[in-house]
Amino acid sequence: MFIFGLIIFFGAHFFSALCRPQRAALVAKLGEMPFKGLYAIVSLSGFALIILGWRQADASLLYAPPYFLRHIAFALMPISIILLVAAYAPAGRIAPVVKHPMLAGVKVWAFAHLLANGEMRSVILFGSFLAFAVIDRIAVKKRDEAVPARGPVRNDIIVIVIGIVAYGVIAHYLHRYIAGVPLY
């Protein structure tokens, strides 16, 4: 179920990222909103299977990370959440500098988790997300998409506050339910 979920989730994302002419043809055939709805259903189905399959996935140890790497992961995680928030908020200075804050946030999130987790399922999950984010960033660069325009610094302050609060909620409350691992 875990691997099947990864295939569905990343299949949809790779189609959207790498098969631009086919994506455009499907959008033209279905319409923008129906395409987005179908894309969301497929992506969320894959994501749900990843979460449901996580606990049954192979948790054998591939490597034992030194304990101090956990602290580095904890330090990187607020950055990743701030970048994810910046992807959906009105642009300040963060989005134009990073160029694609969603992919940057995913890369930081995946890398942080690879530092702290050495079991098979973590390496597969976070390695997949890291590889996808790198490949998609290359694809975005080749498409030469526009960089968000600079906005006021107050937008960054709002993004940082929301990101830190979201990180606190995830770390202190939600992580145990999402991953089955309490952090505190």
Side-chain angles (χ1 to χ4, degrees):
M1 190 177 340
F2 175 65
I3 299 297
F4 190 55
L6 287 168
I7 291 168
I8 292 170
F9 182 84
F10 287 115
H13 282 75
F14 274 119
F15 174 78
S16 186
L18 302 177
C19 303
R20 300 305 277 190
Q22 295 85 349
R23 180 191 183 282
L26 196 53
V27 168
K29 183 177 181 178
L30 298 176
E32 184 74 26
M33 293 312 288
F35 171 79
K36 286 183 177 182
L38 179 61
Y39 182 81
I41 289 168
V42 172
S43 295
L44 289 172
S45 297
F47 194 67
L49 289 172
I50 292 168
I51 292 170
L52 293 172
W54 172 258
R55 293 181 194 203
Q56 289 83 32
D58 184 0
S60 59
L61 197 63
L62 291 178
Y63 60 90
Y67 190 76
F68 75 90
L69 290 179
R70 185 173 181 202
H71 298 294
I72 295 172
F74 276 120
L76 291 172
M77 284 309 301
I79 296 167
S80 74
I81 302 299
I82 289 166
L83 289 169
L84 293 173
V85 173
Y88 294 101
R93 301 297 201 288
I94 295 171
V97 168
V98 176
K99 296 183 181 162
H100 204 302
M102 169 59 84
L103 293 174
V106 169
K107 286 189 267 188
V108 172
W109 170 81
F111 178 70
H113 280 79
L114 286 170
L115 289 177
N117 299 288
E119 75 277 356
M120 175 79 75
R121 66 185 180 183
S122 291
V123 172
I124 291 170
L125 177 68
F126 302 117
S128 297
F129 272 93
L130 181 58
F132 171 77
V134 168
I135 292 166
D136 195 23
R137 181 62 183 100
I138 293 166
V140 168
K141 190 170 186 172
K142 285 185 178 185
R143 288 194 303 264
D144 199 28
E145 289 184 4
V147 174
R150 281 177 59 166
V153 173
R154 75 172 179 272
N155 290 353
D156 290 331
I157 294 168
I158 293 167
V159 161
I160 291 167
V161 169
I162 291 170
I164 290 171
V165 169
Y167 168 73
V169 170
I170 292 166
H172 289 283
Y173 302 107
L174 297 179
H175 198 271
R176 74 187 78 204
Y177 301 111
I178 296 168
V181 180
L183 298 178
Y184 296 103

